[in-house]
């Protein structure tokens, strides 16, 4: 249990997926203009990343390892993730229309989110089991959500600030991200 | 003006006119993550260039065979196969680079530049121009990564390619080779380009700084969220 807690805190705060590993930067910079949309994206990422770490751990343990095909992991994982996202989208559309309406627009954007493949590969690299892998996926996604919601909150305030012309738009967002990354260094003392 | 689709024009296009790092702003994850030194930037750039060239060649050769409806999964399988091959070659022959780049080598699969070029160029053009398009774009990416890596290495360690260039009285600003430094260097770079209206800061024909052929979520970043109007209604 303590082991799982360390993995969770480590992935969510200390090694934050966006601010220290640079995975999932595109949605982080692209969809962080408003808090509601950022939270929507975060919700969709939590949903997909948890599910995909679980499924890829299963595939790795019960298909790739017994058949000695671990060298195919990159190809297999990306296909599994692409199918999974597609399947989740169809399932939500049919079974849970309200959830689909709030998360649906973000789902196609997630396939190209490198955090999803990145976590599947990290789970293998760190030799996490199925439970640890799933917890790692969930915690990483929570970390992503924390970062993107904070960023959206800051960006809503920046709107009213007098930013130098050359720094408007993309550069000021990157600078903010850099300052947030420094702030997240503060968590490195936890574990 | 160079004639279009000749090898020379493709190389010029990839390295200067549509440089993936400075003009299109694609592939930001590896750009920020592996540029802790010039050597790592160069290694990542060349690795991506090789994969881009091979996948462009293969996709272009198969462009009349792959059915339109399943083209994206087909491209992903082709790219992932080449990435796997290159990953094992690096592990076998350049283990130091393999260790330095780590998880970012398999993540080349989801690099926007590769799928973007497959969709925008290789799927519509003959094999030879596609190969040169891949080489040009790959070298353009290499130039971008090496430049950013050099800036970070000079500021963060006082070195270039491992050689000491700053006087010994210079106190290295270690933050520049850590995560926040990557954001600061890129932010400054884009601000300079905005200031002088070059590269990504240059207004396009339609007045926006938005490239339509870039792939979904990263294109959205480059467009400042204009491509998908999420939550603006």
């Amino acid at each position: 249990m303590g082991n799982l807690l360390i993995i969770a805190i480590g992935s969510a705060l200390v090694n934050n997926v966006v601010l220290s590993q640079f995975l999932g930067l595109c949605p982080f910079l692209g969809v962080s203009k408003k808090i509601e949309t950022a939270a929507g994206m975060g919700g969709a990422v939590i949903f997909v990343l948890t599910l995909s770490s679980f499924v890829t751990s299963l595939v790795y343990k019960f298909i790739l390892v017994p058949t000695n095909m671990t060298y195919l992991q990159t190809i297999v994982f990306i296909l599994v993730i692409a199918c999974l996202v597609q399947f989740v989208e169809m399932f939500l559309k049919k079974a849970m229309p309200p959830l689909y309406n709030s998360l649906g627009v973000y789902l196609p954007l997630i396939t190209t989110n490198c955090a999803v493949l990145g976590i599947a590969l990290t789970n293998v690299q760190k030799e996490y089991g199925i439970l640890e892998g799933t917890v790692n996926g969930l915690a990483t996604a929570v970390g992503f959500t924390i970062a993107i919601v904070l960023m959206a909150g800051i960006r809503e305030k920046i709107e009213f600030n007098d930013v130098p012309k050359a720094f408007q738009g993309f550069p000021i967002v990157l600078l903010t991200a850099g300052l947030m990354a420094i702030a997240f260094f503060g968590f490195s003392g936890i574990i | 003006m160079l004639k279009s689709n000749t090898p020379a024009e493709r190389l010029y296009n990839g390295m200067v006119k549509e440089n993936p790092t400075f003009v299109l702003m694609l592939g930001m994850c590896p750009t920020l993550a592996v540029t802790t030194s010039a050597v790592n930037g160069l290694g990542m750039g060349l690795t991506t260039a090789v994969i881009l060239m091979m996948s462009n060649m293969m996709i272009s050769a198969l462009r009349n065979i792959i059915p339109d409806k399943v083209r994206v999964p087909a491209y992903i399988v082709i790219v992932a196969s080449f990435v796997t091959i290159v990953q094992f070659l690096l592990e076998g022959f350049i283990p130091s680079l393999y260790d330095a780049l780590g998880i970012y080598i398999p993540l080349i699969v989801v690099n926007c530049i590769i799928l973007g070029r497959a969709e925008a160029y290789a799927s519509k053009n003959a094999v030879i121009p596609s190969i040169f398009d891949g080489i040009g774009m790959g070298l353009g990416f290499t130039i971008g990564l090496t430049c950013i890596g050099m800036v970070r290495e000079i500021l963060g360690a006082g070195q270039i390619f491992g050689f000491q260039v700053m006087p010994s009285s210079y106190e290295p600003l270690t933050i520049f080779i850590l995560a926040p430094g990557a954001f600061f260097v890129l932010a400054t770079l884009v601000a300079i380009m905005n200031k002088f209206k070059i590269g990504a800061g240059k207004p396009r024909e339609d007045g926006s700084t938005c490239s339509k052929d870039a792939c979904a979520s990263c294109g959205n970043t480059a467009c400042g969220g204009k491509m998908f109007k999420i939550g603006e209604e």
Side-chain angles (χ1 to χ4, degrees), chain A:
Chain A
M1 198 57 216
N3 184 21
L4 289 179
L5 195 66
I6 288 178
I7 292 178
I9 293 176
S11 319
L13 298 174
V14 182
N15 293 314
N16 187 282
V17 64
V18 185
L19 298 170
S20 86
Q21 300 183 57
F22 304 109
L23 299 178
L25 263 183
C26 294
F28 176 70
L29 300 172
V31 216
S32 59
K33 275 197 160 169
K34 279 188 163 182
I35 293 186
E36 295 104 74
T37 46
M41 185 73 190
V45 168
I46 291 181
F47 192 70
V48 171
L49 202 51
T50 313
L51 205 57
S52 75
S53 348
F54 177 65
V55 173
T56 49
S57 302
L58 278 184
V59 168
Y60 186 78
K61 188 161 182 213
F62 292 111
I63 297 179
L64 293 184
V65 173
T67 51
N68 261 333
M69 294 204 296
T70 49
Y71 59 91
L72 284 179
Q73 49 169 316
T74 313
I75 305 178
V76 172
F77 285 176
I78 187 79
L79 286 178
V80 167
I81 290 166
C83 296
L84 187 76
V85 173
Q86 198 77 175
F87 182 75
V88 165
E89 196 180 348
M90 290 193 300
F91 176 77
L92 285 184
K93 203 171 186 174
K94 193 85 186 159
M96 295 177 238
L99 192 61
Y100 177 79
N101 287 338
S102 53
L103 299 185
V105 275
Y106 308 101
L107 286 173
L109 293 175
I110 292 179
T111 324
T112 48
N113 184 337
C114 45
V116 183
L117 181 61
I119 296 309
L121 293 166
T122 317
N123 285 342
V124 170
Q125 214 173 41
K126 293 193 175 164
E127 293 171 359
Y128 286 159
I130 292 170
L131 182 62
E132 291 154 318
T134 314
V135 168
N136 186 29
L138 174 66
T140 306
V142 170
F144 176 84
T145 311
I146 294 173
I148 195 172
V149 170
L150 283 177
M151 176 56 114
I154 298 173
R155 278 181 81 171
E156 284 188 358
K157 298 280 181 241
I158 289 180
E159 292 274 302
F160 303 109
N161 290 2
D162 189 16
V163 179
K165 197 153 185 297
F167 274 91
Q168 277 171 12
F170 204 47
I172 190 73
V173 178
L174 284 172
L175 278 185
T176 314
L179 292 174
M180 282 170 71
I182 293 181
F184 270 71
F185 269 157
F187 289 117
S188 57
I190 295 183
I191 48 172

Side-chain angles (χ1 to χ4, degrees), chain B residues 11-223:
Chain B
L11 291 180
Y12 173 76
N13 183 61
M15 282 192 271
V16 182
K17 207 169 131 226
E18 288 189 4
N19 185 297
T21 308
F22 298 130
V23 182
L24 299 182
M25 303 281 296
L26 290 180
M28 282 299 117
C29 300
T31 306
L32 293 174
V34 302
T35 52
T36 47
S37 72
V39 177
N40 286 353
L42 186 68
M44 184 70 191
L46 290 179
T47 310
T48 312
V50 169
I51 294 168
L52 188 52
M53 186 189 81
M54 309 279 269
S55 65
N56 258 8
M57 180 184 76
M58 189 62 104
I59 287 164
S60 171
L62 296 175
R63 69 186 186 280
N64 295 326
I65 301 171
I66 299 174
D68 204 41
K69 276 190 176 159
V70 292
R71 66 182 194 288
V72 175
Y75 298 162
I76 291 179
V77 173
I78 292 171
V79 176
S81 315
F82 283 122
V83 168
T84 307
I85 295 170
V86 169
Q87 188 182 356
F88 285 117
L89 288 177
L90 279 182
E91 192 177 5
F93 292 102
I94 324 178
S96 59
L97 187 65
Y98 178 81
D99 291 336
L101 299 183
I103 195 166
Y104 295 98
I105 300 174
L107 284 179
I108 294 176
V109 179
V110 281
N111 190 323
C112 293
I113 300 170
I114 299 190
L115 276 185
R117 286 329 282 174
E119 181 80 14
Y121 196 86
S123 61
K124 301 187 186 86
N125 289 281
V127 175
I128 300 293
S130 295
I131 292 177
F132 280 95
D133 182 74
I135 298 176
M137 279 285 160
L139 290 181
F141 189 56
T142 311
I143 294 171
L145 289 196
T146 314
C147 289
I148 297 177
M150 272 158 63
V151 173
R152 288 181 67 187
E153 204 181 345
I154 292 176
L155 293 172
Q159 299 173 329
I160 293 186
F161 289 105
F163 297 108
Q164 192 72 32
V165 287
M166 298 298 259
S168 54
S169 59
Y170 174 75
E171 189 74 41
L173 305 161
T174 319
I175 189 114
F176 278 98
I177 47 176
L178 298 175
F183 288 113
F184 293 146
V185 170
L186 192 67
T188 316
L189 190 85
V190 180
I192 293 171
M193 292 193 299
N194 278 345
K195 177 82 186 163
F196 296 104
K197 299 244 177 296
I198 48 172
K202 190 165 68 182
R204 287 167 208 275
E205 289 86 51
D206 57 354
S208 70
T209 53
C210 189
S211 78
K212 298 273 186 313
D213 54 352
C215 66
S217 66
C218 283
N220 203 30
T221 311
C223 300

